[in-house]
Amino acid sequence: MKKKRFPKREYHIPFFDEQGFERKFCSNCSEYFWTLIPDMETCGEATSKGCTQYTFIGNPPTRKAYNLHEMRETFLSFFEKRGHQRMKPYPVVARWRDDLYLTSASIVDFQPYVTNGIVPAPANPLVISQPCIRLIDVDNTGPTFGRHLTFFEMGGHHAFNYPDKEVYWKDQTVRYHHEFVTKELGIPSEEVIYKEDVWSGGGNAGPDLETVVRGLELATLVFMKFKVVNGKFVELPIRTVDTGYGIERYTWISRGTVSGFHAIYGTILDKIFKMASFGKVDNNLLAEIAQVSGTFEPGESAKRETSWKKVAKQVGMTKSELIKFFKPIETAFAVADHTKSLAFLLAEGVVPSNVQEGYLTRLLIRRTYRLLRALAIEDRLDDIIDLQIRIWSKDFPRLREMHKEILDVLSVEKRKFEDTLKRGDALVSRIAQNLKAKGKRKLPIKTLVELYDSHGLPPEAVRESAMKKGITVEAPDDFYKMVAERHLEAPPKEELVTDERLDLVATLPETQLLYYTDSHLTQFESRVLRVLKKNQVILEKTIFYPEGGGQPSDKGSFEFNGEKTEVVDVQKVGRVVIHTVKDPVPKEGGKIKGQIDWDRRSALMRAHTATHLIMGAARRVLGQHVWQTGTQKNVEQARLDISHYQRLTPEEVNRIEVLANQAATSMIPVETQWLPRDEAEAEFGFRLYQGGAVPGKEIRVVKVGEWEVEACAGTHVGNTGEIGFIKILNTERIQDGIERIVYSTAHHAVQASQAKEKLLRQVADTLDAPIDKLLPTTKRLLKEWKEMRRENKRLIEELAVLESGKSIEQTAITKEIDGTKLVIQKYEPINVNRMIKTASKITKNDPTSVALFYGADKKTARMVILAGGSAVAKGVNASEIAKEAAEILGGGGSGRPEFAQGGGTRSGKIGVALQKAEDRLRKQLSITPQ
């Protein structure tokens, strides 16, 4: 596919003419660029296309060396002095977006609402240093020496140009950049190159200029003027200056270190090297590798292979010796980067799971764990995370606040991964055996991806298990990028069938929503604007709440012209509310008097506000990582799904319940207000989006004192005292990382408690013990039952010994089949344990025997088949016998060659089944039935 290009006019600005920049065409990469050097033939960027090499390593072009903190502050201050308002960084989890999970660029903070003109910019112009996580670069992190990172800070100075207000555009953007790199940092003007390119992301696009100094791309200056619609560029009314300054890259070039990791992670990297017992690292050799191989990416295997040979030849080593030297260092680079990403992700409350940002976090945890294992320091993960938190919390205090929770989550996740690896070994072994049976010796890439996606098994672990069975595993160099790409963005929304009613109501005014004016209104009067098919009524105004946000619709009645009809469902379509009623139906233009089912509405209001109280209580008990992942309110009971990394304990559930009830009895006012999106986010932060991203220019904020605040469209009580008693009925783990809390409120909670008390009394009556003595009585009875079970087991053992001896000859049918003794014995009543024990004794005493024991009553038939060692060696397979016989009984059978069971509900067919079992045994022994 031909790369899209914009014409020269999109990049030709007055600044280039004033300074003497010339437009040239790179003979290597076929890209246009602007430079002050007249005889320059290539674009000057060190990439795998071979345009140049890094020339800043050991020779930085800046006036001084900066650390990351200093470079960030220099960048922010520079633009602050030039009229840009400094913004606090947004979270690394993009909870305000419904199309992606992680913040991968500074412009993500302002898409789509600001860039599409839905809400005003928080400041214009503005400057921000935004922490970003970009897992598409996960495999490149390490091999490219710091050119790619999963965690980085993107410095962005943004200007939003409206049709009636121009802030600044291309020319001033480039002037700012050039002034920053030359006057502020001291880089000579002639060393700055501007490459032309096209940028597209987040649904927007535009021409961009990439700035390059001494081989390293430092910034991208994007002029966002298009919206991407079905692959086509459509002009936007708002033109956005979207710049991305790589704060880490500027830091690297200012220090001239052999890698970006040395510049960013100095102390942390040294300690990782020490943990891994690296000894003294030859930085000169590293520099040689960086110059030739650091510009290639893992996906460019052939080019990297050539570069390794070239470097090896230059330094007088073999390729394998060179790789042996660099591979552990490359691994340490990745560990330094990945652990920082993990610290920030977990600080934002991400719970590792199998979906959304939880999946991406788990991917990074497991990859990091395997990298540490390669360095033989997997037990030092907590220590390295601790280092990251201590160093970066000076600039990002949230890390310090979440320190304990970060380590707690990691501890649980490490145990889960170890369990996964244990289970995975057996799974991979079975797959390997199946491949060998088909004459194959290599695991398909598709299977490798499925093993990771479905079972969490990384390719390194799969390789270890498969090799034991003689199966080779070759993972692509960009394996983690490949699986991450499948999960970076939310799946496309299903195309909704356009509601045919939209056209019918398009000309109607917006329904006045009285339930927002006063949620305690029970009656109202309104004019009927329109009646649609199927008894669907649209009013001028309504107090009926339409279904939405996990809250069912109101029900009630309409009275009109001396008649009354029942309202059975309420939905919002576009801007109007549609009420579905039974017969009779009011006429258009007429008036109705409406009344809601107040018992239903009040129960739903109590449940909805209780959801907020339980949410706040859960976060106070479990930690700040708790977020709402789903909710459903009903009259008698409701549920709340929350993120949490392990099962809730009874003690935690009790504490949540107590805190929620304390909040309920504290009579806290419940305030609701509509706020512009930017104001709401500025005042309350991104905790607003408990239930996910909320569309629209304005957000309805529900605030329960200092207890909880959320963006919420539901109806609520006026103060928490109206809720009454809150009772948590049960909890369950609905998926990895998600806990469900089921609860009731008010009299429904009382009824639920009474039901449990009734059950408790019934148990007490059954055990003939008072309730206060129920626990010791139960313990005593359980102890007695265990003793009786042990005694029963002993007696069965004794009975089995007796039955397996001479006594069985009196009741069993014994047949000699080619040197194998078939013993058939019926048991009444059916006692499977006894059957197994006795059969086991028989086959142990006589390895040539096969025991076929069975029992049958009116409802079911059961069979147990055991074969001695000698019988199995001759070809007897108890599993095959059980399967075939059980089919006749209408059931199933399974097991191993030496032991199997089967059964079914056709007990009248037991005789036929026994004959089938004997026939199969004879076939296995190659004997024709007599």
Side-chain angles (χ1 to χ4, degrees), residues 171-192:
D171 189 68
Q172 186 57 53
T173 301
V174 177
R175 290 177 189 273
Y176 278 142
H177 172 270
H178 209 75
E179 183 183 1
F180 176 71
V181 296
T182 58
K183 294 184 179 178
E184 188 70 34
L185 302 183
I187 297 174
S189 187
E190 63 273 12
E191 295 211 39
V192 185

Side-chain angles (χ1 to χ4, degrees), residues 265-415:
Y265 293 103
T267 304
I268 295 173
L269 191 64
D270 288 343
K271 291 191 176 180
I272 294 173
F273 281 5
K274 188 174 181 181
M275 289 176 188
S277 304
F278 277 5
K280 186 172 176 57
V281 174
D282 186 343
N283 281 338
N284 292 327
L285 179 54
L286 267 184
E288 292 275 1
I289 299 172
Q291 290 289 10
V292 179
S293 185
T295 57
F296 295 107
E297 299 178 9
E300 301 174 307
S301 302
K303 291 182 179 179
R304 288 202 91 204
E305 184 75 13
T306 302
S307 71
W308 280 117
K309 292 177 181 177
K310 183 177 179 181
V311 177
K313 186 175 180 180
Q314 287 176 357
V315 298
M317 299 171 70
T318 65
K319 188 188 76 170
S320 59
E321 288 173 338
L322 192 66
I323 293 174
K324 184 178 180 181
F325 163 77
F326 180 59
K327 196 66 179 176
I329 295 171
E330 173 189 294
T331 301
F333 286 167
V335 166
D337 165 86
H338 292 4
T339 47
K340 185 176 184 181
S341 285
L342 288 175
F344 275 77
L345 283 166
L346 297 175
E348 280 303 325
V350 178
V351 173
S353 68
N354 295 325
V355 295
Q356 301 178 355
E357 63 269 15
Y359 176 94
L360 298 170
T361 303
R362 174 166 285 171
L363 179 149
L364 203 57
I365 290 174
R366 295 187 172 185
R367 174 171 160 81
T368 304
Y369 188 84
R370 298 297 297 184
L371 291 171
L372 288 168
R373 185 172 177 179
L375 296 174
I377 55 170
E378 62 265 39
D379 59 332
R380 303 303 297 272
L381 176 59
D382 287 5
D383 296 331
I384 298 169
I385 291 285
D386 190 68
L387 276 170
Q388 298 278 17
I389 293 171
R390 285 197 285 111
I391 288 177
W392 304 117
S393 61
K394 297 168 189 174
D395 296 319
F396 302 96
R398 174 88 176 161
L399 292 169
R400 186 186 306 111
E401 295 166 10
M402 294 290 287
H403 191 163
K404 182 180 182 301
E405 286 185 51
I406 291 170
L407 295 180
D408 286 348
V409 173
L410 276 176
S411 176
V412 171
E413 191 61 19
K414 282 189 293 183
R415 288 200 300 272

Side-chain angles (χ1 to χ4, degrees), residues 441-461:
R441 290 291 181 269
K442 185 177 179 180
L443 190 78
I445 297 297
K446 182 182 178 183
T447 304
L448 192 63
V449 173
E450 287 174 355
L451 283 169
Y452 186 85
D453 255 358
S454 302
H455 302 280
L457 293 171
E460 300 87 354

Side-chain angles (χ1 to χ4, degrees), residues 9-71:
R9 65 176 180 272
E10 291 288 356
Y11 305 96
H12 194 173
I13 55 176
F15 173 78
F16 286 158
D17 293 336
E18 291 172 16
Q19 298 295 317
F21 279 85
E22 296 181 30
R23 187 175 190 246
K24 295 183 176 292
F25 185 74
C26 180
S27 57
N28 271 351
C29 67
S30 301
E31 301 288 351
Y32 287 99
F33 64 97
W34 297 79
T35 178
L36 289 171
I37 303 173
D39 58 350
M40 194 165 186
E41 296 182 356
T42 63
C43 67
E45 184 178 5
T47 67
S48 59
K49 294 178 180 177
C51 300
T52 190
Q53 291 186 348
Y54 295 139
T55 57
F56 68 90
I57 294 177
N59 183 31
T62 55
R63 189 179 297 115
K64 57 171 276 190
Y66 296 80
N67 62 32
L68 191 62
H69 172 86
E70 292 167 341
M71 184 59 74

